[in-house]
């Protein structure tokens, strides 16, 4: 499980000096540097033949973990010499897939069909690459082999770092290359990564999940929990901060169990304390804590910090203690509410957001009323709501009393309406006040979008010169779950409300 010691830092590597005629090194990440260098040779030949560099397009389905993996994949492709393209009419198209719910899979199949046509009509040399969670499922790979034989390369979640090696194999083969590992052998560090935004970045602190919530496929496709060493995480954040990143999102399926299995155990709260000391960082976020083991130490570290954002994403999944037990969540409705009360007592301004599943097997109207009750009592500032989707191989998929779709959909509608009420209530509290925001994106027609510490968004007049900057904005109008605002060029409003 341990990272193999890399003799050199990635930034020190001179790929042109690697002997690509030598035998491939056995050790990682040197082996991948070697294959990056080999693929660079292929790119040069491509350029000579076509008068241009090859280009790649990536599409990410699913969560922040996948988004982070895609940055790594894009980093490797850029290092190889590919240019990034805005369109799927590219020389290499990579889909990083998600399988957490069935509709994610359906979308991917639709897109693969479309790519097949594109390959046939426009560019027979196009490389189609599929990776990510869906590819960890044997039946998916079987289906692709049978129904989409034009796919060139398939790999799973555990060998993302091997893209250069696998691509090299695929470039030299007419057949579909498939490499899916059951579980991760190791954490390979020191590979390139490309940031989607120059000023904020996700940082993996751990991989995998050991919780086995009964509805969830993640533990099967992302493997067992593995924490990165704190010094590796801190050094990655320091490098990012030196490059101008001011906000990091620490990523893990259950950040509360961070560090427990390390040779020298470290708690997540301790890791946060170390991250806070990194010069240049202004904001620290994290995703996702599990309610069963969110510690008082963590609440205390958050409440004392002026860098850790005032936002806790705390998936409740259901408000019914009976269903929570069947979901294998290890907390009750009362435990969850008490936890949110402790968070609010320490940080009255904190936003709490959540994930909720509707229509879990056996869910009765009474169970659902418990969910609505939690929404009303906790007053989430927003919630991701999902219709339960049976996943093959999970215990819940085999449970009796699957809820009919019409009933689940009707409940879903009621839940969304309730969440909208509480989120509007939360957002209205800050209307009229001045807040610091990080300007993240250009919105339409002369507006930019800034993010508050509590994760809410505000749109206000401005241009791209503001991107990546922290500015004071007056939240003039609450529009439900976001605001319209005005930039305060001279700092905070005269009287903070
Ligand atoms: N059906 C519906 N929603 C699911 N989630 C995970 N598995 C399923 C499933 N089988 C939701 C949970 C989780 C979020 C990432 O996705 O709410 O927190
Ligand atoms: Fe899935 Fe539960 Fe692990 Fe989250 S904690 S990834 S819901 S098994």
């Amino acid at each position: 499980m341990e990272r193999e010691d890399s003799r050199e830092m990635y930034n020190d590597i001179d790929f042109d000096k690697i002997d690509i005629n030598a035998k491939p090194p056995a050790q990682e990440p040197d082996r991948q540097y070697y294959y990056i260098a080999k693929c660079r040779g292929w790119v040069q030949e491509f350029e000579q033949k076509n008068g241009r560099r090859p280009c790649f397009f990536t599409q990410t389905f699913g969560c922040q973990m996948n988004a982070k993996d895609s940055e790594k994949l894009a980093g490797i492709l850029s290092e190889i010499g590919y240019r990034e393209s805005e369109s799927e009419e590219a020389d290499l198209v990579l889909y990083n897939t998600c399988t957490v719910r069935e509709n994610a899979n359906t979308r991917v199949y639709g897109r693969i069909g479309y790519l097949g046509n594109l390959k046939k009509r426009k560019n027979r040399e196009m490389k189609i690459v599929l990776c990510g969670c869906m590819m960890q499922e044997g039946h998916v790979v079987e289906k692709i082999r049978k129904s989409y034989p034009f796919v060139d390369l398939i790999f799973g979640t555990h060998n993302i770092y091997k893209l250069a090696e696998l691509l090299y194999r695929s470039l030299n083969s007419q057949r579909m290359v498939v490499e899916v590992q059951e579980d991760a052998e190791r954490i390979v560090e020191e590979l390139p990564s490309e940031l989607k935004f120059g000023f904020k970045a996700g940082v993996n602190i751990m991989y995998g999940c050991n919780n086995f919530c009964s509805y969830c496929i993640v533990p099967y496709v992302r493997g067992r929990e593995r924490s990165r060493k704190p010094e590796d995480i801190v050094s990655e954040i320091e490098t990012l901060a030196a490059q101008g990143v001011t906000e990091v999102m620490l990523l893990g399926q259950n950040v509360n169990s961070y560090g427990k299995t390390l040779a020298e155990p470290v708690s997540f709260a301790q890791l946060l304390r170390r991250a806070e000391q990194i010069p240049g960082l202004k904001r620290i976020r994290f995703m996702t804590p599990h309610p069963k083991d969110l510690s008082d130490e963590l609440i205390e570290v958050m409440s004392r910090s002026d860098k850790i954002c005032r936002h806790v994403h705390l998936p409740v999944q259901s408000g019914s203690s009976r269903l929570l037990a069947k979901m294998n969540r290890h907390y009750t409705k009362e435990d969850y509410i008490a936890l949110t009360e402790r968070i609010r007592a320490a940080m009255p301004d904190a936003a709490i957001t959540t994930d909720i599943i509707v229509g879990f097997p056996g869910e009765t109207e009474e169970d659902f009323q418990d969910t609505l009750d939690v929404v009303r009592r906790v007053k989430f500032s927003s919630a991701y709501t999902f219709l339960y989707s049976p996943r093959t191989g999970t215990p819940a998929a085999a449970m009796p009393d699957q809820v009919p779709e019409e009933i689940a959909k009707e409940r879903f509608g009621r839940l969304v309406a309730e969440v909208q009420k509480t989120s509007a209530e939360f957002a209205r509290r800050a209307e009229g006040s001045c807040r610091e925001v990080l300007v993240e994106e250009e919105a339409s027609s002369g507006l930019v979008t800034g993010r508050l510490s509590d994760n809410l968004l505000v749109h206000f007049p401005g241009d791209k010169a503001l991107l990546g900057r922290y500015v004071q904005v007056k939240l003039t109008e609450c529009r439900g779950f976001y605001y319209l605002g005005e930039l305060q060029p001279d700092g905070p409003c005269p009287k903070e409300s």
Side-chain angles (χ1 to χ4, degrees), residues 63 100-101 215-218 313 315 317 329 355-357 384 386-391:
C63 66
V100 80
R101 287 169 293 275
Y215 50 81
C216 186
I217 197 145
V218 169
H313 183 68
Q317 313 298 4
R329 293 288 291 175
D355 293 344
I356 302 172
I357 297 176
Y384 294 97
F386 305 109
L387 278 173
Y388 168 70
S389 168
R391 309 312 292 132

Side-chain angles (χ1 to χ4, degrees), residues 416-472:
V416 170
E418 202 61 52
V419 169
Q420 277 168 356
K421 274 193 231 159
T422 66
S423 58
E425 203 176 308
F426 180 86
R428 253 197 317 273
R429 296 190 322 181
E431 193 176 40
S433 69
C434 253
R435 295 292 163 104
E436 186 179 60
V437 309
L438 168 59
V439 186
E440 292 192 343
E441 272 177 298
E442 269 189 294
S444 54
S445 54
L447 296 179
V448 290
T449 304
R451 194 178 295 272
L452 283 77
S453 169
D454 66 14
N455 213 36
L456 287 189
L457 297 177
V458 53
H459 306 297
F460 60 98
D463 60 36
K464 59 172 185 279
L466 290 172
L467 292 185
R469 284 181 47 199
Y470 291 84
V471 293
Q472 292 286 333

